[in-house]
Amino acid sequence: MKTQIEQNGIVTLSEDVTRSLSDSELWNDDLRPTTEKEHTWSGLNFATLWIGMCLCIPAYTMASGMISLGMNWWQAIGTIFLGNVIVLIPILLNSHAGTKFGIPYPVFARLWFGSKGAHIPSLARAVVAAGWFGINTWIGTTAIDVLLSASFPAWKNLTGHTAIIFALFWALNVGVAYKGPEAIKILSLIAAPVVGVSAIILMIWAFTHAGGWGPILSTPSKFTTTGEFLKVFFPTLTGVIAFWATLALNIPDFCRYAKSQKSQMIAQSFSLPLTMSIFSFIGIAVTSATVVIFGSAIWDPVQLLAKFPPFIIFLGTIIIAMASLTINVGANIVAPARAIENLYPKRITFGIGALITGVFAILMQPWFIMSNFGNYIFGWLGTYGALLGPIDGIAIADYWLVRRRQMALKELYELNGRYNYTSGYNKNGVYALIIGVAIPVLGLIVPGLRFIWDNAWTFGLFISMFAYTYLMKGDQSVLRPGEYENITQFPSDKPIERIAE
């Protein structure tokens, strides 16, 4: 009996198989493969998702650090564009699996780490995401607090005013996440145009009030040789890649709802690198104008908005809250919520996972982190994110090089299936991960290998990719020639042609 159906590049389980798996310990309504009717996300939805996540305070100020290190404006924007084009590659490669088989990231991880081993990459991604969730919630809180204090002087005299904002903003983030990916889709559709138009209006204001772009855009690079530039360029490029390296892992959480491969690929290919580059340019241009208007460079959009009349501050508060909410929910809650849910699928739902993520973020005390050890923690999180490259490499190698985009979907949910490996762990995945992490770490120990550490994400990805491909040669979990066709039905009629729209 054919256990799965493939039409227009989308694979779904047959109804009989779905019913038979409903009692499996590895199955619940959130982790199961999406059905034909659930492939509803169009290219517009993916474009607004990325635009909404990219239009945030860190993206606005991203180029500021590069300029302070000596780059001119076009070198900074070029680095940002290139970094996002590079990280787009693993995003698209992992998106294919989510779109074709309709599976979330923790289930995808079962393919290359085993039913129990999947907790390793899932929780590794979750720890970083939960940390960033707490920190971004605090950033949003302080931004809203500053703007409210500028509009209403009595607000800053209220006891516990910052704690009140944090509690309300935290609840809003968790509340939206609790509703699941469909709520995130709706939020992105609203936030993307509002924040985007607001950024353009801010740039127009800066240009007209400054009588031009200002001095920053005319300041030359401080580097006199190519070697001086490259010493700054490579670690900076790694930082840009690390900005979205975490989402490159769990992008199947969103692409499992895509209507087609074509729609999600085109939308993501344009929206991510272009939005990050354009928004960073707006940040540079507006900051350049503030030198003329206010006499000093104001890189922080919150501090800039605080100089406007109360009504503009009020509107700005709503917009910044919306921007912070979009990136936080989309990039920092979905992954840990799914990872927690995957620990006990029969008891834990996605909503409960989102709540646990929120509580964990509070326990990390982001206010303490930001006030005392901000640079250290940001450095640690950035490094941790860069070292997720080896996991990306394993995922890409398994799906594209080892299995060649073919799998027995049903067996991802069976404890005795081929993807259970030995006692639930694929030792080849564990070995490849250790190798991919260990070699870049040598760059911290051996001075002559520092270049490897400065590009840890990239080196880790390729090292683990090659190691995993080699270790998996002849593995019994890989479908034999013709076996995929034996378990997959390819109907001649096309009842789901709408999916390819």
Side-chain angles (χ1 to χ4, degrees), residues 230-248:
L230 292 178
K231 285 181 180 179
V232 173
F233 170 74
F234 283 114
T236 303
L237 182 67
T238 296
V240 175
I241 294 171
F243 197 87
W244 292 118
T246 49
L247 206 66

Side-chain angles (χ1 to χ4, degrees), residues 55-359:
L55 299 182
C56 59
I57 295 175
Y60 181 96
T61 60
M62 178 177 286
S64 64
M66 301 179 197
I67 290 176
S68 69
L69 290 172
M71 291 186 183
N72 59 28
W73 74 268
W74 62 263
Q75 288 173 335
I77 296 300
T79 302
I80 291 170
F81 180 79
L82 179 61
N84 281 282
V85 169
I86 291 173
V87 79
L88 178 67
I89 296 172
I91 287 174
L92 293 180
L93 291 175
N94 288 331
S95 293
H96 191 283
T99 301
K100 181 174 181 177
F101 291 96
I103 50 177
Y105 171 59
V107 176
F108 184 38
R110 294 174 189 171
L111 191 65
W112 19 282
F113 264 82
S115 57
K116 294 180 180 178
H119 299 316
I120 298 172
S122 296
L123 293 177
R125 169 69 178 96
V127 169
V128 179
W132 277 112
F133 169 65
I135 290 173
N136 275 322
T137 301
W138 184 248
I139 290 174
T141 294
T142 54
I144 296 169
D145 197 41
V146 167
L147 294 175
L148 285 177
S149 297
S151 297
F152 310 102
W155 173 257
K156 59 184 176 183
N157 297 322
L158 179 65
T159 303
H161 57 93
T162 305
I164 294 172
I165 294 296
F166 180 81
L168 293 174
F169 193 53
W170 177 90
L172 180 61
N173 276 267
V174 174
V176 172
Y178 188 88
K179 296 292 184 179
E182 283 301 306
I184 298 172
K185 180 176 76 171
I186 295 172
L187 173 66
S188 299
L189 283 171
I190 298 171
V194 171
V195 180
V197 170
S198 301
I200 294 172
I201 292 173
L202 182 63
M203 185 172 68
I204 293 172
W205 167 86
F207 182 82
T208 54
H209 281 70
W213 292 120
I216 293 178
L217 286 176
S218 60
T219 302
S221 170
K222 296 179 182 178
F223 305 115
T224 56
T225 66
T226 302
E228 289 180 359
F229 172 73
L230 292 178
K231 285 181 180 179
V232 173
F233 170 74
F234 283 114
T236 303
L237 182 67
T238 296
V240 175
I241 294 171
F243 197 87
W244 292 118
T246 49
L247 206 66
L249 281 173
N250 75 292
I251 191 65
D253 287 330
F254 299 100
C255 285
R256 61 193 296 235
Y257 301 102
K259 286 185 176 181
S260 71
Q261 299 287 3
K262 181 180 178 180
S263 63
Q264 60 88 0
M265 288 181 65
I266 293 175
Q268 294 191 92
S269 296
F270 283 97
S271 57
L272 170 57
L274 290 180
T275 303
M276 288 293 290
S277 301
I278 292 171
F279 196 51
S280 294
F281 173 78
I282 290 175
I284 294 174
V286 172
T287 302
S288 183
T290 61
V291 177
V292 177
I293 300 170
F294 300 108
S296 62
I298 303 175
W299 285 101
D300 187 349
V302 175
Q303 298 299 327
L304 177 59
L305 281 171
K307 293 182 176 293
F308 284 81
F311 179 69
I312 301 299
I313 294 176
F314 173 73
L315 292 178
T317 303
I318 295 175
I319 293 167
I320 285 179
M322 191 179 295
S324 299
L325 177 64
T326 304
I327 186 174
N328 221 13
V329 171
N332 298 322
I333 294 186
V334 173
R338 289 278 188 233
I340 293 169
E341 181 182 16
N342 191 49
L343 291 172
Y344 201 169
K346 285 301 180 184
R347 295 288 185 181
I348 302 176
T349 64
F350 177 83
I352 294 175
L355 286 172
I356 294 174
T357 300
V359 172

Side-chain angles (χ1 to χ4, degrees), residues 198 384 396 433:
S198 301
Y384 199 110
I396 293 168
L433 177 60

Side-chain angles (χ1 to χ4, degrees), residues 383-408:
T383 300
Y384 199 110
L387 290 178
L388 290 179
I391 301 178
D392 258 324
I394 293 169
I396 293 168
D398 184 278
Y399 183 71
W400 288 91
L401 302 178
V402 175
R403 304 187 196 282
R404 302 186 183 277
R405 305 183 304 282
Q406 297 182 352
M407 69 175 85

Side-chain angles (χ1 to χ4, degrees), residues 411-432:
E411 296 191 50
L412 283 172
Y413 298 89
E414 296 177 331
L415 287 175
N416 60 347
R418 71 178 67 220
Y419 308 122
N420 194 48
Y421 300 97
T422 303
S423 301
Y425 293 90
N426 179 10
K427 64 181 185 301
N428 294 327
V430 177
Y431 295 155

